[in-house]
Amino acid sequence: MEKHQVGGPLGAEESLDGRHVEPTTQETSTKFISRPEVPTWRITLSLALLFLNYFLAQYDKFVLSYFQKEVVTSLNLSSSAYGILSGYATGIVYALLALPAAYVADYTAARVWVLTIAATWWSLCAVFQGLSHYFWQILLARIGMGVGQAPVEALSVSLISDLMGKRYVFFGESVLYVGVYIGEAVSGQIAVAFARTNTPWNTALIAIGIVGIVVAIFIRILIREPWRQTSLINPDAFSSYGEHHDSATKSKVSHAYHDAKSTFNYVFRMRSFWLLTLSASFRQLSGNVFGYYMPTYLSDLYPSHPDILSKYGIIVGVVGSVAVLLGGLLTSAFWHRTKTLPLYLVGIGGMVSSVFVLLMLFSRAVQGGNQDSGIKVLYGTMSLAYLTAELWLGAINSLIVLLLPPQYKTFGLSIWAATQVLVYSAGPEIIGLALRNTDRDSQAYIRGTRIALAVIIPVGYWLAGIGFLLSIPLVKRDLAGEVVRGGKLNMGRKFGFVIFGAIVATMVVILFVVSIVYRA
């Protein structure tokens, strides 16, 4: 049986320091390349399409965020119902389906095909969201969109990691994540324009769905499946964990089972993977809550400034984009000195940013309730909050993908992302439940939202920061190929995984069930 890994002829390769070297026996036998040789025009075109698809795939959450009042009013939603739509409605589906979709993409070496199908499906579901008139209609449409969104991030990160040399992967991934901030900027402008013209919120979703289908077609036509690039870790570390075996006596089902088991086995034995995952989960929980509730909260806090959402979007789009690109550039620039710079960026940056987030939330109060002077404080502290907090996305995901076995990096990334989704989707659910008996247009709702944001965001930033900084020595050991060796995992390590899984599963079930019960 032939390998499912894509490969190609290997000649002299360029090393990270620019020298030309011959591929090693390990690289030749597994058909991995040390450095991709993809034409610049194809890299640019592929990055543009992947960026556009990722941006569009995130857009429904921006609509829910910026048009929260309109969505709640037109669909007659309670606070807990809105929490369901912005929390586990897509989170559970995302987590469950990200793994098999990413695994199929790796096993069949058909990442572009899987991405095309996913993009087409989420685009159709975006249209269905726009056509919804009742809670259960939009809930089912969002669940369906979660199916399509599930593999998009892992597939995009995986493809980019094989399009350019390791040093430049950090910047390439950062370009992808600019889509998050551009989405905020565009949503802010659309929210203001729609408000002025009385255009319904669902028009944006229908338009995005139609554009998404067009982008999916271009992805299939213009992006080519790249050869797999070697990992940052010595190939010997993958010798029995995550290596794809070729045995004529095994069926395809046996091969598939073995490869999935081997990949899980490898990430379980990595010293840093699970601490990094937990830390990233806390960081994303803060960001998820920030994105869903901050725009509407600030709009309520400054009612005499109707253009606040427009300026909010511009700040997020400009400062956030600059920050994430700067993080990628810094990591690429200091590549030869240290591979752990992304951990310092996210750890220290988030802690510093938490101070500015608190000043944002209480910006009007620190100016004695004056809206005109308070909003100046808001815009300044918000810019600093994004500049310090958003250096990390492209850099940290690049580090993770380059720590994983090349042949199953997409599957490994989906494990990383799915675990985070189950944790960070709890944020909107918790706030929705906390505010379920509060009138949406009351001052009590504004105060309750402020308290929730002032607690969840800084705490998440600090927990994440401590976790990322503690993981630095563990990442260094993984980079040296010092995964946990031996046969079966020791009882302490197994017990830790079981407890972690049980806590996450219990949290998901309790919050989701309680949200459904209190929906009305």
Side-chain angles (χ1 to χ4, degrees):
M1 180 176 177
E2 292 182 355
K3 289 180 182 293
H4 297 280
Q5 171 59 46
V6 214
L10 297 175
E13 301 289 347
E14 185 180 350
S15 67
L16 293 177
D17 58 6
R19 294 174 299 164
H20 288 273
V21 297
E22 293 295 327
T24 65
T25 302
Q26 178 74 15
E27 290 163 354
T28 304
S29 62
T30 54
K31 296 185 180 180
F32 301 143
I33 57 176
S34 298
R35 187 180 187 278
E37 294 183 356
V38 181
T40 302
W41 70 267
R42 187 170 291 282
I43 293 175
T44 303
L45 179 61
S46 299
L47 268 179
L49 286 172
L50 292 172
F51 162 82
L52 187 57
N53 180 61
Y54 183 66
F55 153 63
L56 294 173
Q58 306 292 312
Y59 196 79
D60 65 321
K61 73 177 183 181
F62 297 134
V63 172
L64 284 181
S65 174
Y66 280 85
F67 293 93
Q68 180 182 346
K69 284 184 179 179
E70 291 80 359
V71 173
V72 168
T73 301
S74 64
L75 298 177
N76 194 26
L77 303 179
S78 64
S79 295
S80 56
Y82 178 81
I84 293 173
L85 293 180
S86 53
Y88 283 126
T90 54
I92 294 176
V93 175
Y94 185 110
L96 292 177
L97 294 183
L99 299 181
Y103 178 73
V104 168
D106 276 339
Y107 184 74
T108 61
R111 291 175 290 182
V112 176
W113 261 115
V114 174
L115 183 60
T116 301
I117 295 171
T120 303
W121 180 253
W122 72 249
S123 298
L124 290 172
C125 290
V127 174
F128 294 148
Q129 285 188 70
L131 297 175
S132 299
H133 297 287
Y134 303 101
F135 169 74
W136 288 107
Q137 290 177 337
I138 194 171
L139 175 62
L140 292 174
R142 281 192 57 73
I143 290 173
M145 188 149 184
V147 174
Q149 288 175 330
V152 168
E153 182 176 9
L155 287 166
S156 300
V157 172
S158 178
L159 285 167
I160 292 172
S161 72
D162 291 326
L163 285 170
M164 53 188 66
K166 295 182 183 67
R167 176 175 183 173
Y168 304 103
V169 167
F170 295 93
F171 180 71
E173 305 289 7
S174 298
V175 171
L176 174 72
Y177 285 103
V178 167
V180 175
Y181 310 103
I182 296 298
E184 289 272 11
V186 172
S187 298
Q189 306 313 307
I190 290 178
V192 173
F194 278 27
R196 290 174 178 170
T197 59
N198 293 319
T199 304
W201 59 273
N202 49 9
T203 301
L205 281 171
I206 295 173
I208 288 299
I210 294 172
V211 175
I213 294 173
V214 176
V215 171
I217 294 172
F218 279 112
I219 287 174
R220 176 76 286 275
I221 295 173
L222 298 176
I223 297 183
R224 298 288 182 267
E225 183 77 28
W227 292 338
R228 301 284 174 133
Q229 182 173 198
T230 53
S231 169
L232 285 175
I233 299 177
N234 189 308
D236 292 338
F238 306 135
S239 57
S240 57
Y241 315 122
E243 182 180 353
H244 192 101
H245 286 265
D246 294 321
S247 172
T249 61
K250 287 188 176 181
S251 66
K252 290 184 178 180
V253 174
S254 297
H255 274 279
Y257 172 77
H258 169 80
D259 293 333
K261 181 180 178 181
S262 296
T263 306
F264 273 111
N265 194 14
Y266 182 76
V267 297
F268 284 152
R269 292 174 183 275
M270 289 179 66
R271 298 183 183 276
S272 63
F273 186 84
W274 294 102
L275 180 55
L276 290 173
T277 302
L278 183 61
S279 302
S281 299
F282 285 125
R283 178 62 181 78
Q284 293 281 34
L285 186 148
S286 295
N288 201 35
V289 167
F290 193 115
Y292 274 116
Y293 285 92
M294 188 66 78
T296 302
Y297 164 75
L298 294 177
S299 183
D300 291 340
L301 190 64
Y302 291 97
S304 65
H305 291 266
D307 61 344
I308 187 172
L309 290 182
S310 174
K311 293 182 178 179
Y312 176 96
I314 291 172
I315 291 174
V316 173
V318 174
V319 180
S321 297
V322 169
V324 73
L325 290 174
L326 180 60
L329 285 171
L330 287 172
T331 307
S332 293
F334 291 95
W335 166 262
H336 292 298
R337 295 187 180 181
T338 177
K339 308 294 189 296
T340 58
L341 181 60
L343 303 177
Y344 289 102
L345 293 178
V346 61
I348 298 175
M351 293 176 180
V352 173
S353 180
S354 65
V355 177
F356 298 122
V357 170
L358 290 173
L359 289 174
M360 283 178 60
L361 293 168
F362 294 94
S363 56
R364 183 174 172 181
V366 298
Q367 293 298 315
N370 186 288
Q371 292 190 44
D372 292 333
S373 57
I375 204 163
K376 295 177 182 178
V377 175
L378 169 65
Y379 291 149
T381 54
M382 181 179 172
S383 298
L384 292 172
Y386 268 89
L387 186 61
T388 51
E390 303 305 321
L391 295 161
W392 74 295
L393 266 179
I396 196 69
N397 281 283
S398 300
L399 179 62
I400 296 300
V401 74
L402 292 173
L403 285 171
L404 294 169
Q407 62 272 52
Y408 283 95
K409 63 173 72 177
T410 317
F411 186 44
L413 277 170
S414 70
I415 298 172
W416 153 266
T419 306
Q420 291 178 52
V421 169
L422 289 176
V423 175
Y424 75 64
S425 294
E429 298 278 357
I430 293 171
I431 295 181
L433 288 170
L435 299 175
R436 69 183 185 277
N437 295 322
T438 308
D439 182 6
R440 175 65 190 76
D441 297 319
S442 66
Q443 286 297 313
Y445 187 91
I446 297 176
R447 289 194 297 270
T449 303
R450 178 168 54 235
I451 293 172
L453 296 178
V455 172
I456 293 175
I457 296 175
V459 169
Y461 278 2
W462 274 83
L463 289 175
I466 293 170
F468 279 118
L469 294 177
L470 289 176
S471 71
I472 291 175
L474 302 178
V475 170
K476 290 180 178 179
R477 295 186 68 180
D478 281 336
L479 286 169
E482 298 178 13
V483 297
V484 177
R485 302 283 185 174
K488 295 182 178 180
L489 294 173
N490 61 57
M491 289 303 297
R493 201 167 184 84
K494 287 183 178 179
F495 184 73
F497 290 137
V498 170
I499 293 297
F500 176 75
I503 291 174
V504 172
T506 302
M507 177 186 68
V508 170
V509 172
I510 291 176
L511 286 175
F512 190 65
V513 171
V514 172
S515 296
I516 293 292
V517 170
Y518 284 104
R519 183 182 69 84

